[in-house]
Amino acid sequence: ELLKLHNDALLLNLTAVDPGFETESVLSVQSPSSNFGVTQADVPLFQQALDEIRARPGVRSAAVASWVPLAAETPVAWGVRVEGEAEQADRTNLMAFNDVSTGFFETLGVPLVTGRYLDDTDLEETEPVVVINQSMAEAHFGDSNAVGRRLSFSFNGQNWSDFERVVGVVADMQEHGIGREGVHTVYRPASQGSWGPAILVASDGDPAPLALQVRDVIHGIEPDRAVDQV
């Protein structure tokens, strides 16, 4: 009986936690290619699909991402180097990377802390940029402004990526599970990385009816494309 009371109290506490993103009016679906991944050939499909979905009645905004909250990739340890700091300042943290289109943060209702969201000026041919979450900004920059600084990343501590400029800091989301806090997340523009396979749609009302519309849009572009995990 005591164990049951403990578990009930734990569940109640978890349901009271603010996940940091909108849950009531957002639909998510997965549309991987036939090899269950995403290739460069998918870019026109997702770009066209977003344009058509955003034009549908009742759609407030829509976006594409590598993964969605609570279905996130497992965070792993990455090395982070801040431009202008000595090598001994490198830090290793549990991190996750998410390639997202414009409208991602607006669709999920994620507050902007400082700087800007990713936008249409972030193109394949422009300077590589990132938005990071608040936990990451505080860990690497403390009370200083992270916007304008540049970061490089390494999985093995030897092969470092090109520096990418921080253009914005957003509030933390509990993307990896309710109650799991402090994971550092780097959001890159899909235009500078990869598109999909997740599609997010924010509606003015119940988002469930939009599921068929999203499927119809995708199948109108590519009839045999998978649309699942609604």
Side-chain angles (χ1 to χ4, degrees):
E1 183 65 26
L2 286 177
L3 179 60
K4 180 180 183 301
L5 289 173
H6 171 77
N7 289 338
D8 288 347
L10 181 60
L11 179 61
L12 181 62
N13 287 337
L14 286 176
T15 57
V17 172
D18 179 4
F21 57 90
E22 178 63 47
T23 60
E24 294 299 322
S25 61
V26 180
L27 169 82
S28 72
V29 303
Q30 299 284 326
S31 184
S33 59
S34 57
N35 63 356
F36 300 101
V38 181
T39 68
Q40 196 64 23
D42 293 312
V43 174
L45 178 141
F46 283 112
Q47 290 176 324
Q48 181 178 342
L50 276 185
D51 288 341
E52 295 187 20
I53 292 168
R54 287 167 175 165
R56 292 291 177 112
V59 172
R60 180 160 40 87
S61 62
V64 165
S66 297
W67 44 265
V68 299
L70 304 184
E73 66 177 36
T74 302
V76 296
W78 279 80
V80 180
R81 179 173 292 171
V82 179
E83 185 181 38
E85 294 188 5
E87 279 196 12
Q88 58 265 30
D90 295 346
R91 300 176 185 137
T92 301
N93 298 95
L94 284 180
M95 289 175 50
F97 294 83
N98 197 356
D99 290 352
V100 304
S101 73
T102 58
F104 174 79
F105 301 108
E106 296 91 330
T107 298
L108 287 175
V110 183
L112 181 67
V113 176
T114 186
R116 66 171 176 85
Y117 292 133
L118 301 173
D119 62 32
D120 291 331
T121 66
D122 303 315
L123 304 172
E124 183 178 4
E125 62 270 19
T126 61
E127 179 184 29
V129 298
V130 295
V131 166
I132 61 177
N133 66 351
Q134 193 166 10
S135 287
M136 184 170 180
E138 291 174 352
H140 293 286
F141 301 102
D143 294 331
S144 301
N145 189 3
V147 174
R149 303 295 299 275
R150 298 207 306 169
L151 302 173
S152 177
F153 308 99
S154 173
F155 183 72
N156 58 15
Q158 298 177 358
N159 301 312
W160 291 87
S161 68
D162 293 336
F163 280 104
E164 301 169 64
R165 192 174 302 279
V166 178
V167 295
V169 177
V170 294
D172 288 359
M173 289 187 277
Q174 298 195 30
E175 301 167 283
H176 303 277
I178 300 301
R180 184 173 188 181
E181 301 177 348
V183 175
H184 296 179
T185 308
V186 177
Y187 305 94
R188 286 172 165 148
S191 54
Q192 295 181 347
S194 63
W195 285 75
I199 300 173
L200 292 152
V201 185
S203 69
D204 291 325
D206 181 6
L210 292 174
L212 292 179
Q213 296 187 45
V214 172
R215 183 200 64 185
D216 289 345
V217 166
I218 296 295
H219 287 168
I221 302 170
E222 190 175 316
D224 297 328
R225 184 98 181 183
V227 181
D228 54 26
Q229 297 183 46
V230 178

